[in-house]
C-alpha cells in the first residue's frame, strides 16, 4: 500500500558488484563510488521536488524484494547489473510495478560482449539509459520525473 512517505520518492535500485564502483574496472565504470552516485542522485532529485530511496544488493532475491517494496514509490530506476541479462525473477517483479521504471547502466552493454546485448528486464521498463557513466542515473531521474508528471501519478 502506498504511504505518504513513498509519494514523490524515487527508488534507485542497484544490483551486484555495484558496491565496488570506484575500484571495479574504472576504465569501464568510472572512478566515482556508489556513495558519490547516491549523493548526486539525492541532490538532483531534491532539485526536482523528489526524494530518493537508494539501495544496493549483491543478492538476486533481495533485489526482487527491493522491487516489491518500491511498488509504492513514484518511480523506479534500476541498474540490475549482471542480473539484467539473466533474471526472469527480476523481470516478473518489475512487471508488477505500475509506476514508471527506467533501466540504467553506466556502461553501454550493447557495445560490449554479446551476452550483455540482451536485457531480460527490458520488457518491464519504460526505457533504458546507458553508456553515460553516472550521468545515466541523472538522465534516468529526469526521465522518471517527466513520466511521473505526465502520468499525474503520485505527483
Ligand atoms: C552494468 C552493465 C552490466 O552488463 C554489468 O554486468 C554490470 C554493470 C552497467 O552499469 O554498465 O555489472 O549494469
Amino acid at each position: 500500500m502506498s504511504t505518504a512517505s513513498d509519494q514523490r520518492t524515487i527508488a534507485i535500485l542497484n544490483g551486484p558488484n555495484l558496491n565496488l564502483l570506484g575500484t571495479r574496472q574504472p576504465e569501464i565504470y568510472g572512478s566515482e563510488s556508489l556513495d558519490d552516485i547516491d549523493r548526486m542522485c539525492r541532490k538532483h532529485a531534491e532539485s526536482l521536488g523528489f526524494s530518493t530511496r537508494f539501495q544496493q544488493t549483491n543478492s538476486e532475491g533481495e533485489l526482487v524484494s527491493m522491487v516489491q517494496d518500491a511498488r509504492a514509490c513514484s518511480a523506479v530506476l534500476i541498474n540490475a547489473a549482471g542480473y539484467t541479462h539473466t533474471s526472469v525473477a527480476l523481470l516478473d517483479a518489475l512487471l508488477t510495478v505500475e509506476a514508471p521504471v527506467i533501466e540504467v547502466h553506466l556502461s553501454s552493454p550493447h557495445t560490449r560482449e554479446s551476452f550483455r546485448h540482451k536485457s531480460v528486464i527490458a520488457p518491464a521498463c519504460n526505457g533504458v539509459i546507458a553508456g553515460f557513466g553516472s550521468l545515466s542515473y541523472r538522465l534516468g531521474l529526469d526521465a522518471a520525473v517527466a513520466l511521473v508528471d505526465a502520468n499525474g501519478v503520485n505527483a
Side-chain angles (χ1 to χ4, degrees):
M1 202 168 86
S2 177
T3 67
S5 62
D6 292 324
Q7 288 178 7
R8 295 193 78 81
T9 296
I10 300 176
I12 305 173
L13 307 181
N14 296 276
N17 302 304
L18 294 173
N19 54 314
L20 300 180
L21 284 183
T23 55
R24 173 196 181 200
Q25 294 181 280
E27 68 285 3
I28 294 176
Y29 298 116
S31 56
E32 284 170 275
S33 69
L34 197 61
D35 280 347
D36 292 334
I37 295 176
D38 181 0
R39 271 190 295 275
M40 178 275 288
C41 286
R42 192 178 328 134
K43 203 171 152 196
H44 188 55
E46 273 169 13
S47 77
L48 299 169
F50 286 78
S51 58
T52 54
R53 178 193 297 173
F54 196 97
Q55 296 173 296
Q56 188 273 333
T57 178
N58 290 325
S59 148
E60 182 177 9
E62 205 176 333
L63 193 55
V64 167
S65 296
M66 285 175 180
V67 169
Q68 292 183 5
D69 290 345
R71 284 182 299 172
C73 290
S74 300
V76 177
L77 240 68
I78 183 161
N79 183 351
Y83 295 136
T84 303
H85 316 297
T86 62
S87 181
V88 173
L90 190 56
L91 168 66
D92 288 343
L94 288 166
L95 286 170
T96 72
V97 178
E98 290 177 12
V101 179
I102 314 292
E103 178 182 344
V104 297
H105 299 282
L106 296 151
S107 69
S108 174
H110 280 93
T111 61
R112 299 178 63 194
E113 304 96 319
S114 57
F115 62 83
R116 295 185 204 276
H117 296 180
K118 170 84 183 165
S119 167
V120 173
I121 65 169
C125 301
N126 293 70
V128 53
I129 298 174
F132 297 100
S134 62
L135 181 59
S136 293
Y137 284 71
R138 188 185 161 107
L139 295 171
L141 283 171
D142 288 339
V145 169
L147 290 174
V148 170
D149 286 346
N151 292 347
V153 179
N154 287 342

